[in-house]
Amino acid sequence: DAEVSTRKKTFAEVQTERLDQAERTVLIKCPSKLNEKKLLQYLSSHGNVKSHFFFESRGINALIEFSEKSSIASLQDDVGIPSASEHHVVPFKSRLFTFTLKNPVSQRGEEAPLHLSPQCHIPVKDLIEKLCLADSISSQMYILLDEHQLTEENIKLRFLACSLVRDFTCAYFPDSTVKPFGSSVNTFGKLGSDVDMFLDFGDTGRHATKMKKGPFEMEYQMKRLPSERLATQRILSVIGDCLDNFGPGCLNVQKILNARCPLVKFSHQPTGFQCDLSVSNSIAIRSSELLYIYGCLDSRVRALVFTVRCWARVHGLTNSAPGTWITNFSLTMMVMFFLQRRSPPIIPTLDQLKGLADEKDKHIIGGYDCSFVSDLRKIKPTKNTETLDVLLSEFFEYFGNFDFRKNSINLRKGKEVNKPESSPLYIWNPFEQDLNISKNVNQPQLEKFIAMARESAWILQKEDKTQQMIDKEPWGLAALLIPFGKSNSSKMKNRMKGIGSETIRSLLDSLKLNNANSQQKAVGK
């Protein structure tokens, strides 16, 4: 019920609630043995503790959410400064604390085992064992989704990481906020993925028109620079230095200011996240909201995306490092396009969502029309009743036989259109319509994807589930998450004859060489 009520909220409402929640939250490093009840009793003396959980990141940590923000100020007044006997401390009072026992020996025996909230997913080997116990491919896909998706606790940690960075940016820009975007908020985030965050100065546009009433005008005196890019670089340079020099737990800070989108990369040790901080990228935020809407419309959408992305990772089709392979974002767009092409469609096209937009949904960014409806209640539910078993098999069939030489993928129109240029894989950016989001993908990587899709479609069509269960062999989705060629090699050769393509056969052979470590990495970003 809680999930259903959350799903009905608009993207903006959810973000506002989460940011407010994070402002009322602290993070406490705890001793390995702890009396949870006593800790909560102490914290409650500063105000009502609304929620809490424990997790592991270089030791035991507790995330504590108070009902009132004033409770944090009360707690901070009660907290001491660390001893400077070995190192001199930077006197920045954050919302990160260390809790220790004054006399641990006398309190021994009072501790009870703590429940630790998992912050990473189970290994693929363990996942396959779980999948084999399911009764259908649909059930297997929902199990995979449940194991990989961000938990409530992990989402709270992500927003807290942003909120802790905001405590620094507010020293320079009091009205600024730091918000997560991308996989942390679009409903397709996976446990263990990085946190993309951006520094938002939101109200600057409104301030420009604020003082235009009456016979006079008033405005701030501000530093003027020749370009927005230079301003972004200077802001990030200062914030990067600030995190590096004064931020507790901020390590390996890298300022990458000459990239197309300047950013600061750092490790946030208290939460355990790798973080990328940039300055407001409005189109990226719109992409996050679009995916949020698609993810909320039908439970099959997320289950299919998580399944396809895990499958791609197992077979070395995606990689967390930049390169010529298909990205998770491109794969997600391919799944969305496939769902638009079903009969009847499972999700609407972007043009259809734009048609439902009202005045408050209108967004023109850099000359690009990024308008679409934000109220989920205005979007009619699909009449499509296909099972995930069918959809997974059809996805592989569809893209295993897609004419990539001629056609491109367009989510705005929801139909195949002629490629405007010769990139092997052409997926139109939903908003910046002159960009191909998969321009990095080369021909060998695309052929590898086609080969894997055809092989997967073949396995799903030909397998005998009952016999495989009797023989205790992986079946359904579990069979697809074992790198092809690692087991049942004789059957594999027969299937390759069935495909009959020398190109595909050589690709499948080459996969055996680089798949030795793929299975362990399969659940990466």
Side-chain angles (χ1 to χ4, degrees), residues 288-297 353 372-374 376 379:
S288 299
E289 181 167 1
L290 177 64
L291 285 176
Y292 170 85
I293 286 171
Y294 282 146
C296 290
L297 287 178
L353 292 178
F372 55 84
V373 66
S374 59
L376 291 159
I379 306 168

Side-chain angles (χ1 to χ4, degrees), residues 140-149 299 302-303 306:
Q140 289 181 327
M141 291 170 71
Y142 281 121
I143 289 168
L144 184 148
L145 171 64
D146 194 50
E147 290 293 341
H148 279 200
Q149 69 183 343
S299 63
R302 295 174 66 241
F306 275 80

